[in-house]
Amino acid sequence: MIELKNVSFAYGDEQVLNNISFKVADSESAIILGPSGSGKSTILRLLLGLLDPQEGEVLIDNQIINKMKEKHRRVLRKQIGMVFQDGALFDSMTVGENVGYYLIEHTDMKWDEISMKVEQMLGFVGLRASEVADKLPESLSGGQKRRVAIGRALLSTDPKIMLYDEPTTGLDPSMTENVLELITKLQSEKSISSIVVTHQIADALVIADRFIVVWEGEIAFDGDMDALRESRDLRVLQFLAPFRLALSEVGKLKFIGRKET
Ligand SMILES: Nc1ncnc2c1ncn2[C@@H]1O[C@H](COP(=O)(O)OP(=O)(O)O)[C@@H](O)[C@H]1O
Ligand SMILES: [Mg+2]
C-alpha cells in the first residue's frame, strides 16, 4: 500500500536520495535503518506528501501522492499516523488536550465524549489519565511523552499505517522496551502496519518483519533478518559492524511481538 518508485530527492543542491524504490504491503512492518544523515526522515516526509521528490513517484494506496493537490493529500494522510522524532507535543497544552487535539479542532464532538476517548487512549498507551491528563508535557518523562505522541497520532487519524521516526532515541532501556512493546501491540491488536525509522538496530531486531538499510541515499539492503545477517554488501557490513554482537545474540533476545521467528 505504500511505495517509493525510483525516487530522487535533493534539498536545494544537496542530493539526499538517489533513485530509491521499495514497497511496504498492507499490515507489514518495515524498519528503515541507516546512519544519521542518510535520508531516513526525508523518506517519511515524502511518504506523508510533505515533500515532493524531484524524480519518481510516491504511492499511497496506489495513488501518486506527489502529483496531488493539498486537499487530496490530506485525505490520504488521514490513513497515516506519524510520530515525530522528538515526540513533538504542544508545550502549552495539557497531555489530555494534546491527545484530543484533532477531535477538539476538527470535529463537533462534545468535550465529555472527547475526554472519554482521551482517557481510553491514554489507557491504551499505558498511561493513567487521572495522573497525566491535566499535566503539561514538560513534567513527563521521555518515555511517557513518546506514548502521548503515539496516542495523539492514533486519535488524530484512524491510521492503517503508522510512521515512527526514531521512537526510542534518548530513552533509557526500560522505557525503550515499553515503547517498542506499544508499537508491537498496535501491529497485532489493531492490525496497523508500521514503518519505523531508527539508527538503533537493537530496536529493529525486536519489532521488524523486514529491514531496509539506507546508506548515502541509496537502498543498500531490503530483506528479512536472515538475509540481513548473511548480507555481504560492504555498506551493510559497515553499518552492522558495531552491532555484530547484538545480531548474533538475536535468538536470545526477548521477542515481545507476535512473531517468534
Ligand atoms: N530541511 C532541510 N533542508 C536542507 N537539508 C536538509 C533538511 N533536512 C535534512 N537535510 C539534510 O538531508 C540529509 C538527510 O537528512 P535526514 O533525512 O534528516 O537524515 P536521517 O533522518 O537519516 O538522519 C542530511 O544531510 C541533512 O542535513
Ligand atoms: Mg532523522
Side-chain angles (χ1 to χ4, degrees):
M1 78 175 297
I2 276 192
E3 182 173 7
L4 255 58
K5 232 184 209 173
N6 304 112
V7 163
S8 294
F9 178 84
Y11 292 101
D13 290 339
E14 193 192 343
Q15 193 67 33
V16 174
L17 300 172
N18 298 310
N19 193 28
I20 70 167
S21 301
F22 66 84
K23 267 190 220 183
V24 177
D26 271 336
S27 71
E28 198 180 13
S29 303
I31 294 272
I32 300 180
L33 286 164
S36 200
S38 55
K40 304 181 300 297
S41 297
T42 302
I43 290 174
L44 296 185
R45 284 180 217 128
L46 288 164
L47 288 174
L48 281 168
L50 300 173
L51 294 174
D52 287 337
Q54 281 79 15
E55 279 170 61
E57 291 171 345
V58 180
L59 294 100
I60 309 286
D61 255 354
N62 295 317
Q63 301 176 66
I64 305 172
I65 191 167
N66 58 298
K67 304 217 167 118
M68 283 180 185
K69 296 219 168 81
E70 182 57 28
K71 189 171 78 178
H72 299 295
R73 292 183 189 215
R74 254 184 249 137
V75 176
L76 280 185
R77 258 182 228 139
K78 285 209 170 145
Q79 307 178 25
I80 307 174
M82 172 80 200
V83 178
F84 290 95
Q85 195 151 0
D86 51 3
L89 300 174
F90 303 120
D91 296 335
S92 59
M93 293 184 192
T94 65
V95 165
E97 287 164 347
N98 264 283
V99 174
Y101 178 77
Y102 182 87
L103 301 178
I104 296 166
E105 287 293 310
H106 300 285
T107 69
D108 298 330
M109 227 179 260
K110 299 257 164 24
W111 177 244
D112 279 358
E113 198 180 340
I114 293 176
S115 113
M116 206 178 67
K117 284 187 182 283
V118 166
E119 194 177 324
Q120 281 171 353
M121 184 51 75
L122 284 170
F124 182 80
V125 299
L127 296 169
R128 230 188 284 266
S130 59
E131 282 170 17
V132 298
D134 296 327
K135 288 189 176 160
L136 290 176
E138 64 187 13
S139 64
L140 302 186
S141 72
Q144 288 174 319
K145 279 188 211 164
R146 228 56 69 87
R147 284 158 177 270
V148 172
I150 293 172
R152 185 176 63 186
L154 290 173
L155 213 52
S156 301
T157 49
D158 188 11
K160 289 196 207 146
I161 185 146
M162 287 284 290
L163 308 179
Y164 303 89
D165 199 353
E166 308 273 4
T168 65
T169 298
L171 302 184
D172 65 35
S174 91
M175 280 297 173
T176 294
E177 194 173 322
N178 282 335
V179 169
L180 295 178
E181 214 164 313
L182 177 57
I183 292 174
T184 329
K185 176 169 146 183
L186 284 179
Q187 288 165 8
S188 55
E189 285 181 21
K190 293 195 187 263
S191 309
I192 296 177
S193 56
S194 57
I195 298 183
V196 180
V197 157
T198 183
H199 67 277
Q200 291 168 309
I201 192 167
D203 294 6
L205 296 177
V206 198
I207 48 181
D209 301 332
R210 168 143 164 247
F211 303 85
I212 295 168
V213 179
V214 185
W215 186 268
E216 292 178 356
E218 288 172 10
I219 306 275
F221 176 86
D222 184 348
D224 66 12
M225 165 111 61
D226 290 336
L228 183 66
R229 269 209 211 97
E230 277 153 32
S231 172
R232 291 292 161 259
D233 184 291
L234 288 178
R235 300 163 298 178
V236 174
L237 290 174
Q238 194 173 334
F239 178 69
L240 292 181
F243 310 110
R244 272 287 152 218
L245 183 63
L247 209 58
S248 65
E249 293 281 300
V250 70
K252 297 176 209 156
L253 275 181
K254 183 174 144 207
F255 268 76
I256 53 181
R258 66 206 135 115
K259 290 215 156 166
E260 288 282 344
T261 43

